[in-house]
Amino acid sequence: MTRTMWDSSVGKKTVMAASGLIMLGYLVVHMLGNLKIFFGSDEFNHYAHWLRTIGEPFLHYEWALWIIRVVLVAAVVAHAVSAYQLSRRDIRARPTKYVHKKPRASYATRTMRWGGIILGLFIVWHILDLTTGTVHPGGFQHGHPYQNVIDTFSTWYGNVIYIVAMLALGLHVRHGFWSAAQTLGVGSRTRDRAFKTIANVLALVLTAGFIAVPVGVMTGVVS
Ligand code: HEM
């Protein structure tokens, strides 16, 4: 039987790179949108409302939002399944058992695995917190994200969860973007260096931009 593209390691890495880039694009837009919180509650809540009316009247209320949700869920699932399969393959590829102590995976590999798990858990918490309100502290109000965000960052654990997750996000994006560039065949020495710089800048800007929101609430700049 011939091996299909999907079965190959390169195929799985390509799926990881493509789904990762889709999520990265979403994150840049989400981070920039979140910064609107510094312009006050009217502007932030109006922006959240606009997210639900994109494409009207061609699209129905919330359809564009649902299309984005479906694409993101597909990207998360493809990313996680390929990551799992690649790491299983890593273990199976070893022809004999280690004689001595099993060497640990490289620092980057371990950071990516743990980072991925932390981010997966964070996304579930985040949706239950600020989209459905299930775990939200205080009275969650649909259509009033400004107040909901303030309530979240008025608890110590809200700040800890989000800030830890954003640090994990920075590390994950830094290495992930670089890996994607390798997989998609960037190639030359000078371009390698450029992509490393882009990876560092992206990671730093995303982490700082996201963390600005809890810091804004904690310092009273957003209230
Ligand atoms: C401090 C950091 C963050 C803040 C303050 C924040 C804030 C918010 C808020 C207020 C919403 C609800 C918007 C609305 O219903 O109109 C939201 C939705 C969402 N956030 Fe974040 N976010 C943060 C970080 C992240 C990160 C790092 C990710 C991904 C890893 C993420 C993924 C999402 C997703 C997927 C949704 C959409 C849920 C849905 O409506 O289906 N967020 N965020």
Side-chain angles (χ1 to χ4, degrees):
M1 203 172 76
T2 54
R3 277 177 65 179
T4 66
M5 178 68 179
W6 302 118
D7 283 335
S8 72
S9 292
V10 178
K12 291 187 196 304
K13 284 181 184 172
T14 306
V15 171
M16 295 217 64
S19 52
L21 290 176
I22 290 171
M23 293 189 281
L24 188 58
Y26 171 80
L27 284 171
V28 171
V29 175
H30 187 30
M31 185 274 287
L32 292 173
N34 283 354
L35 292 179
K36 286 179 81 72
I37 203 154
F38 291 100
F39 294 101
S41 83
D42 283 354
E43 198 154 328
F44 193 67
N45 291 342
H46 181 244
Y47 164 65
H49 177 70
W50 171 78
L51 285 175
R52 287 153 174 85
T53 57
I54 300 171
E56 278 187 1
F58 180 68
L59 296 177
H60 193 68
Y61 181 74
E62 283 200 347
W63 277 15
L65 185 63
W66 275 104
I67 292 168
I68 297 170
R69 286 171 175 165
V70 169
V71 171
L72 281 177
V73 168
V76 170
V77 170
H79 204 73
V81 169
S82 314
Y84 177 75
Q85 291 173 336
L86 280 167
S87 72
R88 294 292 308 158
R89 184 165 295 193
D90 233 26
I91 296 163
R92 275 204 313 267
R94 187 145 297 280
T96 51
K97 288 227 180 318
Y98 292 106
V99 178
H100 300 295
K101 202 171 90 179
K102 193 174 160 206
R104 302 213 291 178
S106 74
Y107 172 73
T109 305
R110 275 184 290 139
T111 322
M112 290 310 273
R113 284 179 192 164
W114 279 107
I117 291 167
I118 290 172
L119 289 169
L121 293 172
F122 166 75
I123 291 170
V124 173
W125 176 268
H126 181 40
I127 288 173
L128 293 175
D129 178 23
L130 287 172
T131 299
T132 64
T134 319
V135 298
H136 189 72
F140 182 82
Q141 302 175 60
H142 284 281
H144 294 89
Y146 186 87
Q147 190 56 45
N148 294 335
V149 168
I150 290 182
D151 291 344
T152 286
F153 298 126
S154 299
T155 63
W156 67 266
Y157 62 87
N159 288 306
V160 170
I161 291 172
Y162 278 76
I163 291 173
V164 167
M166 293 317 104
L167 295 174
L169 178 75
L171 289 175
H172 204 78
V173 164
R174 182 169 178 239
H175 184 77
F177 183 82
W178 165 243
S179 303
Q182 299 293 301
T183 300
L184 301 176
V186 174
S188 80
R189 182 83 67 82
T190 39
R191 272 198 266 167
D192 268 11
R193 212 172 310 139
F195 273 91
K196 250 185 191 151
T197 309
I198 298 172
N200 287 340
V201 170
L202 259 175
L204 205 67
V205 168
L206 272 178
T207 304
F210 275 124
I211 287 183
V213 179
V215 169
V217 176
M218 281 192 279
T219 54
V221 173
V222 176
S223 61

